[in-house]
Amino acid sequence: MATQTLSSCTGSTMLQPISDIINLPLDQVNFVVSQLFALLTAVWFRLYLHPSKTSPFIRHVVATLLGFYLALFCFGWYALHFLVQTGLSYSIMVFASLEHMHKYCFVTALGYLSFCQITRVYVFDYGMYSADFTGPMMVITQKITSLAFEIHDGLAKREDQLKPSQKYLAVRRMPSLLEYLSYNCNFMSILAGPACSYNDYMAFIEGSGYHCHGELANGKENGKVKLSEPSPKNDVLSKLVTCGVSLGVYLALCKVMPVERSVEPSFVASTPFYQQVLYLYLAMLALRPKYYFVWTLADAINNAAGFGFNGYRKDGSSRWDRVSNLNILEIEFATSFKMFIDNWNIQTALWLKRVCYERCPLNPTAATFLLSAIWHGVYPGYYLTFLSGIAMTMAARALRHNVRPHFQTSDLRRRVYDVITWAGTQVAISYTVVPFVLLAVGPSLQFYSSWSYCIHLLCLVLVLVLPVRARRPRDAQQQGQQAVLEGGADGDKVHQSNPHAATDNNCNKKDT
């Protein structure tokens, strides 16, 4: 009965015939069609509501109204939760003291998200793993809490108390209600994100996002100049091709190699362990394109609207990865746990870094993983995954410190090290995220038991046996460029494929 009530309230049934024909849930069909509509609308928004042709007020109004329309189409009256969450948080921002406003917003937004997740999971349909109204609320929570901290940094802290990245992100005035709604609920990101900084979004709305540091042919800066507006057409088309390939791979393989088979007693009993390891890797490889499709399409929508410009490469071509959420090649060929994290769900990793890792005084790594679990939802599998992630991170850090230097003496040794660490990383990631996919405690522990908890035990041994160098103090510039979750503990620079690791050099920064 509860499931029927939920279905009747979560979005339009206009596309039900298409859902029946292609044998996909209606909410997923609504989501994909809405995103394709948003893509076309984004092109119109960029061409006909360009900042040179219309005011920021009109752009805010149109972006917000279109966002609410898409939310109602996909989620029906459950979309009102978006208004409630943003309304409560804006009230706190306006009426609470600046000293504690960011904390109240954080607790309120995350608490309301958790309330909705608990209601959806335990009241309506446990295990419903498709498009649902708490998905957009997760992105809105990121935006609400990020903006609260950015306002606190801009209005309640002195300049010398801020890290370089925080200086750029700091918001120096309270946004109006329209600006706040537009930032949180615009049509480009209402359904699948990604989150972005408030300053970047305002620069996009006001048309100042193309002011960038120009570079001469010899690579020297030529001062801040206004370059001709680049076109996102090639990047959008490229990302749409990626979406098509990702969707095709997922639909072709997801039912052929389900992760759930890894816990079937018959499979475990009849399959050699090395084949179980190989199957798990391939099953996760077949699952990831679903996320590649959703996040790349969301990125293409933002780019089509003119949002996401991130400066120019040395060859003069424009970069449109300012709000990108992943780097597929770096994920699939990651040679460390950190490298995988840096390139997977990039905007969420940045949010965790900015609101938790950089600000938590005690054990920021554990606190960051715990916050990530709470934000993802109430399924026990999430907590098993992220608690395991703490052990994996600590073990990977210890192993890298002690083993990597021995393989840097020649090109051959470096290649051997890369192959070994790639295989180890892919197996460790696949092993860690199984509970994230299975959701429930029983099947998750059953899987780990079938592997004799071998990777957990290996991590424990590595952490206890291998010494880890004490972290050296860093100045503010270095701290502003810490890697997500790792904090640059091994002294390595942030991987260059992640263009967001240090935000103080953002070429979208407004002229002052």
Side-chain angles (χ1 to χ4, degrees):
M1 181 65 181
T3 304
Q4 293 175 353
T5 302
L6 181 66
S7 300
S8 65
C9 299
T10 53
S12 171
T13 58
M14 182 176 64
L15 301 177
Q16 185 64 56
I18 298 178
S19 173
D20 295 336
I21 293 173
I22 62 178
N23 195 28
L24 282 176
L26 176 61
D27 54 357
Q28 294 183 10
V29 174
N30 283 347
F31 170 82
V32 172
V33 171
S34 295
Q35 286 293 76
L36 294 177
F37 173 79
L39 178 67
L40 296 176
T41 304
V43 175
W44 169 82
F45 189 84
R46 176 174 176 268
L47 295 177
Y48 295 97
L49 292 183
H50 191 274
S52 63
K53 300 178 181 179
T54 189
S55 67
F57 175 81
I58 297 298
R59 284 168 63 84
H60 278 306
V61 170
V62 173
T64 305
L65 292 178
L66 286 172
F68 285 140
Y69 171 76
L70 291 178
L72 286 170
F73 181 83
C74 284
F75 309 109
W77 294 112
Y78 283 99
L80 291 177
H81 286 291
F82 307 165
L83 284 177
V84 173
Q85 188 183 33
T86 53
L88 288 173
S89 300
Y90 188 75
S91 300
I92 292 172
M93 285 174 47
V94 171
F95 296 109
S97 66
L98 287 174
E99 188 66 26
H100 302 290
M101 170 271 297
H102 59 302
K103 301 175 185 176
Y104 299 153
C105 281
F106 181 87
V107 173
T108 300
L110 192 62
Y112 192 80
L113 171 65
S114 297
F115 166 77
C116 291
Q117 289 171 332
I118 291 171
T119 302
R120 184 186 69 84
V121 170
Y122 293 108
V123 175
F124 293 112
D125 189 5
Y126 187 93
M128 182 178 62
Y129 202 75
S130 57
D132 68 89
F133 71 95
T134 61
M137 290 182 67
M138 294 168 69
V139 179
I140 293 174
T141 298
Q142 289 184 359
K143 292 182 177 182
I144 288 172
T145 53
S146 294
L147 179 55
F149 278 95
E150 290 162 4
I151 292 174
H152 175 74
D153 290 342
L155 298 180
K157 283 188 175 182
R158 300 190 310 273
E159 193 79 6
D160 58 359
Q161 293 178 304
L162 302 177
K163 296 180 175 67
S165 59
Q166 292 172 345
K167 289 180 182 178
Y168 164 71
L169 294 170
V171 176
R172 308 295 179 180
R173 69 172 181 85
M174 193 69 68
S176 68
L177 179 58
L178 175 61
E179 292 169 339
Y180 192 72
L181 290 174
S182 175
Y183 170 61
N184 285 299
C185 301
N186 64 80
F187 75 94
M188 301 174 297
S189 63
I190 185 67
L191 298 183
C196 62
S197 77
Y198 178 78
N199 283 343
D200 282 343
Y201 181 74
M202 290 301 294
F204 156 70
I205 289 293
E206 295 169 1
S208 58
Y210 300 109
H211 290 69
C212 185
H213 289 283
E215 290 187 355
L216 297 174
N218 59 7
K220 295 182 180 179
E221 288 192 354
N222 191 27
K224 184 170 286 190
V225 295
K226 185 173 183 180
L227 304 174
S228 58
E229 183 174 320
S231 171
K233 180 179 67 174
N234 291 337
D235 288 79
V236 171
L237 292 176
S238 173
K239 290 172 183 178
L240 291 179
V241 171
T242 300
C243 288
V245 173
S246 298
L247 183 61
V249 170
Y250 173 71
L251 294 177
L253 299 179
C254 65
K255 294 182 179 180
V256 177
M257 293 185 292
V259 176
E260 290 78 7
R261 186 176 298 165
S262 297
V263 298
E264 293 178 359
S266 58
F267 176 82
V268 174
S270 62
T271 308
F273 182 69
Y274 76 91
Q275 291 185 12
Q276 294 183 44
V277 175
L278 180 61
Y279 177 83
L280 179 64
Y281 166 70
L282 294 176
M284 290 299 178
L285 188 65
L287 181 64
R288 285 196 287 269
K290 175 176 68 174
Y291 299 94
Y292 297 162
F293 168 76
V294 172
W295 288 338
T296 305
L297 180 56
D299 193 15
I301 292 169
N302 280 270
N303 293 167
F307 187 33
F309 175 66
N310 199 28
Y312 293 87
R313 301 180 181 89
K314 290 184 179 180
D315 62 2
S317 61
S318 57
R319 294 174 55 190
W320 288 87
D321 57 1
R322 185 66 203 156
V323 293
S324 294
N325 229 355
L326 77 167
N327 188 317
I328 296 176
L329 292 180
E330 299 298 335
I331 289 170
E332 298 301 340
F333 294 100
T335 57
S336 70
F337 211 82
K338 172 185 178 297
M339 185 176 174
F340 191 100
I341 291 174
D342 282 349
N343 292 281
W344 174 268
N345 206 353
I346 293 172
Q347 301 304 322
T348 294
L350 282 174
W351 170 69
L352 291 168
K353 170 177 176 267
R354 291 166 180 169
V355 304
C356 184
Y357 188 90
E358 290 186 335
R359 303 175 191 269
C360 185
L362 297 174
N363 204 338
T365 297
T368 302
F369 274 108
L370 180 60
L371 173 59
S372 183
I374 295 172
W375 174 79
H376 274 90
V378 295
Y379 288 114
Y382 296 159
Y383 291 84
L384 287 176
T385 287
F386 290 109
L387 289 175
S388 298
I390 298 173
M392 301 296 167
T393 300
M394 295 174 64
R397 184 180 295 162
L399 188 66
R400 183 176 178 84
H401 285 176
N402 289 275
V403 175
R404 184 174 181 271
H406 300 290
F407 286 85
Q408 301 304 303
T409 55
S410 69
D411 289 339
L412 177 60
R413 288 192 173 189
R414 278 193 287 269
R415 291 191 184 97
V416 170
Y417 177 82
D418 287 342
V419 171
I420 294 174
T421 53
W422 170 81
T425 297
Q426 297 302 323
V427 172
I429 288 289
S430 301
Y431 174 91
T432 302
V433 302
V434 165
F436 193 96
V437 178
L438 300 180
L439 302 179
V441 172
S444 300
L445 295 181
Q446 183 180 344
F447 167 78
Y448 282 149
S449 178
S450 70
W451 282 49
S452 302
Y453 295 89
C454 59
I455 297 185
H456 283 94
L457 295 175
L458 178 61
C459 290
L460 179 62
V461 171
L462 291 175
V463 170
L464 294 178
V465 173
L466 296 179
V468 178
R469 295 192 303 271
R471 299 188 183 189
R472 294 173 296 178
R474 290 173 173 80
D475 57 26
Q477 176 72 17
Q478 290 173 315
Q479 291 179 0
Q481 297 179 349
Q482 287 174 327
V484 177
L485 305 180
E486 286 284 315
D490 57 4
D492 286 353
K493 292 182 180 180
V494 176
H495 198 280
Q496 292 301 315
S497 65
N498 183 351
H500 313 278
T503 53
D504 54 306
N505 63 351
N506 173 23
C507 63
N508 288 340
K509 187 172 181 179
K510 300 179 186 178
D511 293 325
T512 55

